[in-house]
């Protein structure tokens, strides 16, 4: 059999250890499929003495991970550290500069510096691969780069963060508190080192910007992803959505109608939509091609095993000599799409107001909606959960609008800005019906 592909592994946390386990467990099968064995030669992390649950005695240890790519016993570096900048980026740069391939699961780094790294990799004729950076174990980057390569992709969207989906579905099933469920998601290894990246929507925005670049052949534009997370959702929103026939999911949505549109936001997803049935840490991506039609990719979006599966698939590609442009086309050919104006987009929305429980408040809200030209399809007013019997001082008013332009809803919210009747800013969620 041919010479092994010699691998340096930086980062021995959830995913790094998963990669070691997978390469050891499936060594013979991988060697057959790759045409040569995958051999981890050297590893690195912050703390050499930390127990990892795997035997590392067969691997060399490198204290300074940044120089891993410069070692003679390394053909390719696997970066499983995380963070958009810092040591991960330094390692990526030195590795490619040294003429070695790089495999990473680091969506933050690719969203911020992917174009620079891809250009450098093209220059050095080495691989830059990041299948595990988007949707964990789902081979969606491969699907978009290869399987749908003949299509114009018109829209790509989906559930891109396992932690948020886990939190939302557990809250949905059990009515448990947000913070409690987040701790559980962290214990299962789904969350980022700083879980704010998950719950504020940033992680999904990183992934969406990468997916959009590959799907549309455009430059990664993370800075322009309109992003909101799940922290403002209340159990009452989830219950209200259920009563209307919807579930709430954090959706990343991108299309090229009138420019590059990229948004990450909790949506009300109709129960008949396939994404409504995506539970737990599962991710799902929908890609709509002009010849393929709607394609749905679904699978585990986080965790050691599924993520390691995607990382090792990249290594197998490199062992086979399958390199290819990181973003499907060379960096110089990626389009610089202008951002789309969103005001004219048509849709229905769920609006939720927390208001003082006194006469005239509902009239004030509906007047603002009327003046902005927003038509209400349904409306419900509920006492806040936990309020003392006999009525608390704050109530929830939730409504669903008829289809209309987003600019009308924005105008209604603007008209209510500063209203003494509102105890917090209104929550606006878009509705995904089909
Ligand atoms: P993790 O469990 O926090 O592990 C990070 C590893 O990097 C640890 O071994 C840590 O060393 C090492 N490290 C961190 N900072 C370092 C530094 N300054 N110098 C040297 N080593 C450092 O993270 P993870 O969950 O495995 O995630 C790794 C990457 O995969 C991230 O980019 C993440 O976004 C991505 N990802 C994760 C998942 C998932 O489900 N967890 C899924 C897809 C992608 P010590 O252990 O010695 O502290
Ligand atoms: N924290 C990420 C998530 C890991 O929950 O989806 C997978 O990218």
């Amino acid at each position: 059999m041919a010479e092994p592909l010699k691998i340096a592994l930086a980062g021995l946390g959830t995913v790094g250890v998963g990669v070691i386990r997978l390469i050891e467990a499936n060594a013979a099968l991988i060697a057959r499929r790759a045409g040569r064995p995958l051999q981890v030669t050297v590893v690195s992390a912050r703390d050499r003495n930390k127990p990892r649950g795997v035997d590392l005695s067969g691997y060399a240890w490198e204290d300074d991970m940044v120089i891993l790519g410069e070692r003679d016993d390394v053909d390719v570096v696997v970066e499983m550290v995380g963070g958009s900048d810092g040591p991960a980026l330094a390692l990526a740069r030195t590795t490619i500069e040294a003429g070695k391939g790089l495999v990473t699961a680091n969506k933050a780094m690719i969203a911020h510096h992917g174009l620079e790294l891809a250009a450098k990799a093209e220059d050095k004729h080495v691989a830059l691969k990041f299948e595990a950076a988007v949707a964990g174990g789902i081979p969606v980057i491969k699907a978009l780069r290869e399987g749908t390569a003949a299509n114009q992709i018109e829209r790509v969207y989906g559930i891109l963060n396992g932690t948020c989906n886990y939190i939302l579905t557990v809250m949905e099933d059990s009515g448990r508190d947000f913070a409690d469920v987040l701790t559980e998601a962290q214990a299962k290894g789904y969350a980022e080192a700083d879980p704010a990246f998950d719950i504020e929507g940033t992680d999904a925005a990183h992934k969406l910007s990468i997916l959009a670049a590959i799907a549309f052949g455009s430059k990664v534009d993370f800075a322009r992803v309109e992003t909101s997370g799940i922290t403002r959702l209340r159990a009452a929103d989830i219950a209200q959505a259920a009563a209307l026939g919807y579930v709430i999911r954090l959706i990343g949505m991108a299309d090229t109608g009138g420019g590059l549109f990229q948004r990450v936001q909790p949506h009300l997803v109709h129960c008949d939509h396939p994404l409504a049935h995506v539970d737990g840490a599962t991710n799902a991506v929908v890609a709509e091609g002009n010849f393929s039609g709607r394609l749905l990719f679904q699978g585990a979006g986080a965790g050691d095993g599924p993520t390691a599966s995607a990382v090792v698939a990249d290594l197998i590609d490199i062992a086979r000599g399958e390199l290819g442009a990181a973003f499907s086309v060379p960096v110089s050919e990626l389009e610089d799409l202008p951002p789309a104006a969103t005001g004219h987009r048509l849709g229905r929305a769920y609006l939720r107001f927390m208001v003082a429980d006194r006469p005239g408040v509902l009239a004030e809200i509906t007047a603002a909606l009327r003046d902005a030209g927003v038509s209400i399809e349904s409306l419900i007013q509920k006492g806040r959960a936990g309020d003392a019997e006999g009525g608390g001082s704050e109530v929830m008013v939730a409504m669903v609008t008829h289809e209309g332009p987003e600019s009308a809803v924005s105008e209604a919210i603007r008209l209510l800005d500063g209203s003494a009747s509102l105890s917090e800013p209104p929550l606006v969620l878009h509705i995904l019906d089909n």
Side-chain angles (χ1 to χ4, degrees):
M1 190 168 275
E3 284 290 294
L5 181 76
K6 291 174 281 180
I7 297 161
L9 176 57
L12 294 168
T14 304
V15 186
V17 168
V19 168
I20 289 188
R21 285 208 175 99
L22 173 50
I23 289 177
E24 287 180 354
N26 288 356
L29 169 156
I30 290 169
R32 257 201 334 275
R33 291 187 179 155
R36 56 201 283 212
L38 301 190
Q39 183 189 351
V40 176
T41 52
V42 52
V43 298
S44 179
R46 231 173 344 213
D47 178 356
R48 187 172 186 164
N49 300 313
K50 193 166 167 180
R52 310 277 175 183
V54 287
D55 179 10
L56 298 176
S57 60
Y59 312 123
W61 177 274
E62 177 64 67
D63 279 326
D64 180 7
M65 70 163 62
V66 174
I67 61 159
L68 281 171
E70 292 163 4
R71 290 173 60 118
D72 292 337
D73 58 354
V74 172
D75 299 320
V76 55
V77 171
V78 175
E79 182 276 308
M80 298 292 131
V81 175
S84 60
D85 294 82
L89 181 60
L91 170 63
R93 284 177 172 153
T94 53
T95 297
I96 296 171
E97 196 56 49
K100 306 287 173 71
L102 182 81
V103 173
T104 179
N106 188 336
K107 50 271 168 153
M109 180 175 76
I110 296 300
H112 284 276
H113 304 289
L115 294 180
E116 173 212 314
L117 296 174
K120 203 182 274 284
E122 284 169 23
D123 195 38
K124 292 282 181 182
H125 305 289
V126 297
L128 168 64
K129 290 189 176 280
F130 42 82
E131 181 64 69
V134 180
I138 310 174
V140 67
I141 290 185
K142 209 174 194 25
L144 292 177
R145 282 180 80 249
E146 299 175 20
T148 66
N151 286 259
Q152 176 149 347
I153 302 293
E154 287 156 351
R155 186 160 77 137
V156 63
Y157 64 98
I159 293 172
L160 301 175
N161 185 271
T163 302
C164 287
N165 212 56
Y166 181 82
I167 291 172
L168 290 174
T169 52
V170 172
M171 286 175 73
E172 196 173 284
D173 293 343
S174 67
R176 282 168 55 199
D177 279 344
F178 182 96
D180 184 25
V181 188
L182 171 60
T183 308
E184 203 172 282
Q186 288 177 285
K188 287 177 180 287
Y190 303 150
E192 296 303 297
D194 176 358
F197 279 89
D198 296 293
I199 60 178
E200 301 289 357
T202 315
D203 176 76
H206 287 148
K207 293 165 178 167
L208 184 69
S209 67
I210 297 168
L211 267 188
I214 294 171
F216 307 140
S218 55
K219 290 187 176 162
V220 183
D221 193 358
F222 165 70
R224 291 212 181 97
V225 185
E226 184 190 321
T227 306
S228 52
I230 63 169
T231 52
R232 291 198 57 213
L233 294 175
R234 294 165 180 257
D237 292 310
I238 292 173
Q240 187 55 42
L244 293 163
Y246 292 87
V247 296
I248 298 184
R249 294 285 181 270
L250 184 70
I251 302 289
M253 168 88 63
D255 65 44
T256 51
L260 179 60
F261 170 77
Q262 303 176 98
R263 174 183 283 156
V264 169
Q265 191 194 52
H267 281 60
L268 264 67
V269 180
H270 195 272
C271 289
D272 289 340
H273 194 288
L275 295 188
H277 306 285
V278 175
D279 292 339
T282 307
N283 281 191
V285 178
V286 177
E288 294 171 354
N290 61 343
F291 276 70
S292 64
R294 181 191 274 188
L295 300 166
L296 172 67
F297 307 94
Q298 182 169 341
D304 54 352
T307 312
S309 161
V311 171
V312 177
D314 280 346
L315 288 168
I316 292 172
D317 270 355
I318 293 174
R320 289 168 170 163
E322 290 167 8
L323 305 183
F327 290 98
S328 191
V329 297
V331 171
S332 60
E333 289 175 33
L334 291 169
E335 282 188 87
D336 208 350
L337 293 177
T342 55
H344 64 280
R345 290 178 75 88
L346 293 178
R348 293 160 67 232
Y350 167 88
L351 312 181
R352 186 259 280 154
F353 304 88
M354 298 307 299
V355 300
D357 191 6
R358 55 179 162 72
V361 170
L362 195 54
E364 184 186 342
I365 293 172
T366 52
L369 291 164
R370 178 202 61 211
D371 293 349
V374 178
S375 169
I376 300 167
E377 182 182 292
S378 60
L379 181 150
I380 189 159
Q381 177 173 330
K382 288 188 95 173
R384 186 179 177 181
D387 272 353
E389 275 185 31
S393 58
E394 191 185 41
V395 294
M396 177 174 127
V397 176
M399 58 187 74
V400 169
T401 69
H402 281 293
E403 184 172 87
E406 290 189 7
S407 56
V409 172
S410 305
E411 173 61 7
I413 301 302
R414 192 192 65 74
L415 291 173
L416 288 166
D417 190 30
S419 164
S421 305
L422 304 186
S423 55
E424 61 178 76
L427 178 74
V428 180
L429 305 182
H430 294 280
I431 295 183
L432 185 61
D433 279 309
N434 52 47

